[in-house]
Amino acid sequence: AQKITQTQPGMFVQEKEAVTLDCTYDTSDPSYGLFWYKQPSSGEMIFLIYQGSYDQQNATEGRYSLNFQKARKSANLVISASQLGDSAMYFCAMSVPLTGANSKLTFGKGITLSVRP
Amino acid sequence: GAGVSQTPSNKVTEKGKYVELRCDPISGHTALYWYRQSLGQGPEFLIYFQGTGAADDSGLPNDRFFAVRPEGSVSTLKIQRTERGDSAVYLCASRLGPSGEQYFGPGTRLTVT
């Protein structure tokens, strides 16, 4: 069975500073994908970034980067230059296998990020 | 282009009633997923469609829940004899190919009174 663990109950960051949101995962399958989604108070799930288990380099998308440490089974999200609009719930998710008939997502419980002006 | 749409956005029903929730995926996306999100939790998988067939319905909690996708596009999640414990946000997502990110709709908030 796959499991995603997000233990930080809530995070605060000053505007324009960087913040790291933690995520650890557990799977015995060598083929998997890791995702981060943002869920503002309005409720929609917004895709941020993706990392495949075979990718050699850490994924980056604008101000988002994924610190992928395979041996530690961690996939932390780093947000640089935080903005007020980054205040939201952030979910880490995993799909196993990476490709194929059913790559359903298993989500963590989420982390609340609050950006202070 | 248009994203995933879901209707209704909110549904309030009485215990024991039947409800239908609709999902219209991104055009051309063959994979369609339903998830359920309870308050303060991450979404939980319910069912997956590849084309018209339900390829994996292992997440459906019991036989009161059923979903269809008759033409490989729009999907309907059907809940019979609703219970208060069914109250949650029901999310639909679609994906273009065999891997990669899923794109979510805005969800349907179901409240069973």
Side-chain angles (χ1 to χ4, degrees):
Chain A
Q2 295 78 44
K3 186 176 180 181
I4 293 284
T5 302
Q6 296 180 264
T7 57
Q8 296 161 309
M11 293 286 288
F12 292 88
V13 65
Q14 204 68 30
E15 193 179 9
K16 299 180 185 177
E17 292 185 350
V19 62
T20 298
L21 305 182
D22 295 343
C23 171
T24 59
Y25 61 91
D26 189 24
T27 180
S28 57
D29 197 309
S31 171
Y32 53 88
L34 295 160
F35 304 79
W36 278 91
Y37 284 84
K38 171 184 177 182
Q39 189 174 44
S41 56
S42 53
E44 74 271 31
M45 295 285 284
I46 302 168
F47 166 73
L48 296 178
I49 196 167
Y50 160 79
Q51 179 90 40
S53 60
Y54 299 119
D55 294 343
Q56 296 298 312
Q57 292 189 321
N58 287 345
T60 60
E61 287 285 349
R63 294 187 299 111
Y64 305 108
S65 60
L66 201 152
N67 184 0
F68 181 44
Q69 298 191 33
K70 201 168 184 176
R72 294 186 176 185
K73 293 191 173 180
S74 73
N76 298 340
L77 176 70
V78 180
I79 305 174
S80 62
S82 297
Q83 301 172 357
L84 296 178
D86 293 336
S87 295
M89 181 77 84
Y90 288 80
F91 289 96
C92 180
M94 176 168 60
S95 69
V96 180
L98 177 62
T99 65
N102 179 11
S103 297
K104 62 191 174 193
L105 293 174
T106 300
F107 285 85
K109 290 189 174 182
I111 303 168
T112 302
L113 175 66
S114 299
V115 181
R116 291 172 168 153
Chain B
V4 179
S5 61
Q6 292 186 247
T7 54
S9 55
N10 279 284
K11 177 70 177 178
V12 181
T13 190
E14 292 180 347
K15 178 176 177 296
K17 298 289 188 181
Y18 168 82
V19 296
E20 289 189 352
L21 312 179
R22 175 189 167 105
C23 170
D24 200 340
I26 293 172
S27 178
H29 283 199
T30 57
L32 185 147
Y33 297 80
W34 283 97
Y35 295 85
R36 179 168 72 174
Q37 186 176 22
S38 300
L39 195 62
Q41 302 295 318
E44 293 181 323
F45 168 77
L46 293 176
I47 188 169
Y48 157 67
F49 288 89
Q50 181 60 44
T52 60
D56 182 353
D57 64 358
S58 62
L60 295 178
N62 51 60
D63 61 7
R64 295 186 298 105
F65 289 75
F66 188 71
V68 295
R69 195 185 184 198
E71 297 179 356
S73 178
V74 171
S75 176
T76 304
L77 178 66
K78 307 180 181 192
I79 310 174
Q80 299 177 322
R81 304 183 303 280
T82 51
E83 299 177 357
R84 293 194 181 89
D86 299 335
S87 296
V89 175
Y90 289 80
L91 295 165
C92 176
S94 70
R95 191 185 67 206
L96 177 60
S99 65
E101 63 272 21
Q102 296 178 21
Y103 292 93
F104 283 79
T108 294
R109 182 175 298 278
L110 176 66
T111 304
V112 182
T113 62

